Each structure stands twice: as structure tokens, then as C-alpha cells.
Amino acid sequence: MIKIGLSGNRYSGKNRVSRLFQQISIPVFEADVVLKFILNHDFELQQKIKKEIGTGVFNNKGRLDESMIILTGSFDKIVDIVEFELFKAYEKFNLKNKKSIYTIFNSSILFERNWDEKMDFNMNVFSPQVERIERCKELNPDKKVLQIYDEISSEMNELEKNKRSDYVIHNYRDVDLNVFGDLLTQVNKIDQKIIDRYLQEEHKYK
């Protein structure tokens, strides 16, 4: 089975692309959702986090407090603790979908955590920062521009992610449809390329 990493910066359209792959029957492992679930429901890991980082990152309901995680800069340490369980869940997901040629590991921190190195191939959903800021303002009219800029600027540069990707999906207003096509067209093209690679490898060993 081929493992494909999928990522993209905030408001790039990464999750929309994830849904398009699901629509063409490709199994997608939603790593961000699974990560959050593990953190909020795995009691043993919560105890380990309290022991190694402290109780200050939890709220009075016993759940991890995102604002305190950001304030204390402990996000990477927390992910270090839970990473093994996350990838164990991904392996179970792959076993469940072993008839599929490939599965997608959809993660907003794929490149930041160097998880792209665990994948066979990687793709990034690219949208320029200016356009992503505009999308954020449309979706969150009460958010201050400075806050939006700070959130978006804290991520790895989108061009660096493009360099580390085998496939780049272009999602912005002025995208040349004659060159790239719309999102579904791009998804279908990548799907075919992955299948072709798989068939070539299969033929090589026959």
C-alpha cells in the first residue's frame, strides 16, 4: 500500500481537497481529528502529559486548553508524547483499507513534524498567503487582521511546503484552469499518477 501525506496552510482548502479524495473512494485518515480525540480520551497519555509538562495545560474540566498550550509553547512536546499512538492508529486504518492502492494521511503539521518522511509521497494544497488572509476575514469577520496575520505567519512557508511535495494542488482565484484545471480535475490527475506508479512497480516485479 502507498502512503500519501496531504497538507496545506490555514485556509488553503486542504480539507476540501481531502473531501474530494474521499468522494473518489480514497480512504483518508484525518490525523488532526484523531490526534485531538486521543489527547482528550486517552487517560494514560493525559497522565503522562501532566507528569512531563504539568497540569497547567489542562482546563478545569480536565481537557487540554489550547490557549495555554500556545502560551506555554508546549505543543511540540505534547505531540511528541502522542505521536506513537497516532501512527499506530494510522497503521490500523491502513490494515482496515488494505484493498486500497493508497491511503491519505491528512495533517496540518505534516511538514512541521517531518512526518512527510514517513510517507511514500506527499502533496501540498497551495494558496498564497494574501488570499488565505482574505478567506479567513470572510469566514471570521470579528477576527482582527493582526490576529489573523499572526496565526498564518506562524506556519511553515507555503513555498517551502511545495518544495517538499511530490504533488502540488493549486487553489486560488487566478489559478490557470487551462494549465492546472479545477480542484477536482487536479485531484483526479494525481489519483491517476499514483495508480500508474503503483502499476509500474507491480509490473517491474512480475
Side-chain angles (χ1 to χ4, degrees):
M1 177 183 285
I2 299 172
K3 298 175 183 177
I4 308 289
L6 169 64
S7 197
N9 285 9
R10 283 184 180 92
Y11 304 101
S12 64
K14 174 180 71 72
N15 290 331
R16 184 180 172 194
V17 168
S18 168
R19 289 192 293 273
L20 288 175
F21 273 103
Q22 289 173 318
Q23 283 175 25
I24 60 169
S25 301
I26 304 303
V28 178
F29 181 80
E30 298 292 355
D32 295 344
V33 175
V34 176
L35 180 66
K36 187 175 284 188
F37 180 85
I38 293 171
L39 286 171
N40 284 314
H41 295 90
D42 191 315
F43 179 73
E44 287 185 15
L45 281 177
Q46 287 180 354
Q47 293 304 110
K48 192 172 182 181
I49 291 168
K50 288 175 182 178
K51 183 178 179 181
E52 295 188 17
I53 297 171
T55 58
V57 292
F58 290 85
N59 61 27
N60 55 14
K61 293 182 180 178
R63 291 185 176 273
L64 284 160
D65 188 321
E66 188 176 338
S67 61
M68 289 306 298
I69 291 170
I70 294 169
L71 187 65
T72 57
S74 54
F75 178 74
D76 279 327
K77 290 179 181 177
I78 289 171
V79 178
D80 284 341
I81 293 170
V82 78
E83 183 173 319
F84 177 79
E85 291 299 324
L86 177 68
F87 278 90
K88 191 163 77 172
Y90 181 45
E91 289 306 317
K92 286 181 180 178
F93 178 84
N94 287 338
L95 283 172
K96 183 181 176 183
N97 295 283
K98 61 184 178 182
K99 291 184 179 179
S100 298
I101 289 175
Y102 69 98
T103 62
I104 289 177
F105 182 88
N106 179 24
S107 170
S108 59
I109 53 173
L110 179 77
F111 297 104
E112 287 83 350
R113 294 289 305 181
N114 293 317
W115 290 340
D116 55 309
E117 296 174 6
K118 296 177 180 283
M119 303 293 137
D120 297 302
F121 303 105
N122 294 283
M123 66 182 91
N124 186 52
V125 182
F126 169 69
S127 182
Q129 188 185 81
V130 173
E131 188 155 330
R132 289 187 291 110
I133 289 172
E134 287 303 312
R135 284 180 195 157
C136 183
K137 283 160 64 177
E138 288 171 12
L139 293 168
N140 305 280
D142 295 331
K143 249 186 184 180
K144 294 180 180 178
V145 176
L146 188 61
Q147 184 184 356
I148 294 170
Y149 184 78
D150 283 345
E151 287 178 2
I152 286 178
S153 299
S154 67
E155 298 177 290
M156 181 186 289
N157 182 273
E158 60 265 36
L159 296 178
E160 179 61 29
K161 291 184 178 182
N162 284 353
K163 287 180 187 176
R164 291 173 62 170
S165 299
D166 300 281
Y167 307 105
V168 176
I169 295 176
H170 297 262
N171 183 31
Y172 39 91
R173 286 191 185 93
D174 298 327
V175 65
D176 191 335
L177 294 177
N178 292 320
V179 174
F180 301 110
D182 60 16
L183 280 183
L184 183 57
T185 299
Q186 293 181 68
V187 164
N188 282 325
K189 283 180 180 177
I190 291 171
D191 174 66
Q192 191 58 57
K193 285 178 181 178
I194 295 168
I195 292 170
D196 288 346
R197 280 184 165 183
Y198 172 80
L199 293 174
Q200 286 170 9
E201 288 297 312
E202 284 284 288
H203 181 72
K204 190 189 297 183
Y205 295 106
K206 282 185 177 178

